[in-house]
Amino acid sequence: MSAPRSASAGRGPRGPWVAVIPQRDITSAKSRLLLRPEARQAVVRAMFRDTVSAVLASSQVEAVLVVVDRIQDAAHVRSPEVVPLVAPDTGGLNAALYEGGRRARELWPRCRLAGLPADLPSLRSEDLDVALKVAGRHERTFVADWRREGTSLLTASEGVDLAPKFGRRSRLAHLDSGAVETLDSNIESLRRDVDDIDDLLDAAVRRPGSTLSAVLRSLGHPFEWEPARRTFATVRS
């Protein structure tokens, strides 16, 4: 596959970063979101699209490479600046980030790498700009999620591997690997990933991207918890 058209051709001068964003099969992703399957899939698609849109809007990002299990999932973020890599057998987020980073370096040999999850629907491009400017001063950096247990951004400078350690207690794993933690107070939206329904409700009040906002309106947000049935039902007038 040939390299895509430079993002600078349509958006003005851009920074040196290529973002790698894995998205697992949307039909099965985010099982901890206790919603009806069709609603859960709509939320996952929306978060993926809003995350990619916010990353593309960053002045520091040249392009985005998405790693997907199915090519049809990449269609939700189609853009001249988005390159899909179909890798259904990568075996998890870390392997997907590794493969995505390898492919990015084939297409942009001198790029810096930024690995992000696909569930940052409230991400502001300005916050990502701040984090990537800090990252430019170090070989590897990371941003912890709001719980300070996981990771919502991992970066590597030119010629350096991401060496991802996502998973349980990934913040400590990335610290132990030598990555520098970014503690700037102006990157709050970058910390707000969505793992469960409480995170989704939190995102709903934090000005999420337009796609997730529309999906939540269509579901009849806010939600009503039904503990006996372990499902969420929408409150409708």
Side-chain angles (χ1 to χ4, degrees):
M1 181 175 71
S2 60
R5 185 186 70 187
S6 171
S8 62
R11 298 187 294 158
R14 312 302 295 178
W17 297 89
V18 172
V20 179
I21 303 178
Q23 174 61 69
R24 63 172 297 193
D25 185 344
I26 287 174
T27 62
S28 57
K30 292 295 177 186
S31 59
R32 288 166 61 188
L33 285 177
L34 300 177
L35 297 165
R36 297 183 302 275
E38 63 275 14
R40 175 177 49 78
Q41 292 168 32
V43 167
V44 172
R45 285 193 297 269
M47 293 195 298
F48 184 29
R49 186 169 180 176
D50 285 339
T51 300
V52 171
S53 294
V55 173
L56 281 175
S58 167
S59 66
Q60 299 298 302
V61 173
E62 170 73 9
V64 171
L65 189 148
V66 295
V67 185
V68 294
D69 288 350
R70 311 181 309 157
I71 189 58
Q72 55 265 48
D73 290 340
H76 300 296
V77 293
R78 185 179 291 118
S79 165
E81 290 85 34
V82 176
V83 176
L85 173 63
V86 182
D89 300 317
T90 51
L93 178 61
N94 291 319
L97 284 167
Y98 174 81
E99 289 299 322
R102 180 187 60 79
R103 183 59 176 149
R105 289 272 166 76
E106 290 177 352
L107 295 172
W108 299 274
R110 297 178 62 84
C111 73
R112 300 172 184 174
L113 295 175
L116 302 99
D119 59 351
L120 298 170
S122 303
L123 176 62
R124 291 166 48 86
S125 59
E126 298 91 336
D127 291 11
L128 182 57
D129 285 344
V130 170
L132 292 180
K133 287 175 182 176
V134 172
R137 302 196 290 266
H138 304 277
E139 283 197 349
R140 292 173 63 245
T141 71
F142 73 95
V143 172
D145 64 12
W146 69 274
R147 295 182 177 89
R148 294 189 55 75
E149 295 177 355
T151 302
S152 55
L153 172 69
L154 177 66
T155 72
S157 61
E158 180 182 340
V160 176
D161 290 338
L162 275 175
K165 309 289 183 184
F166 284 81
R168 188 179 178 88
R169 299 182 182 274
S170 66
R171 174 183 174 270
L172 291 177
H174 285 131
L175 274 175
D176 290 344
S177 75
V180 175
E181 183 173 6
T182 300
L183 297 172
D184 196 289
S185 61
N186 297 310
I187 57 173
E188 181 61 24
S189 72
L190 185 53
R191 303 184 188 279
R192 294 287 170 172
D193 59 338
V194 174
D195 289 327
D196 55 32
I197 203 70
D198 289 333
D199 294 339
L200 181 60
L201 292 170
D202 179 76
V205 300
R206 289 181 179 274
R207 299 194 320 182
S210 59
T211 311
L212 182 60
S213 294
V215 167
L216 292 179
R217 285 195 300 270
S218 74
L219 294 178
H221 178 78
F223 304 99
E224 181 181 77
W225 176 229
E226 298 181 12
R229 295 175 55 193
R230 299 290 294 172
T231 60
F232 276 86
T234 57
V235 178
R236 301 188 183 279
S237 58

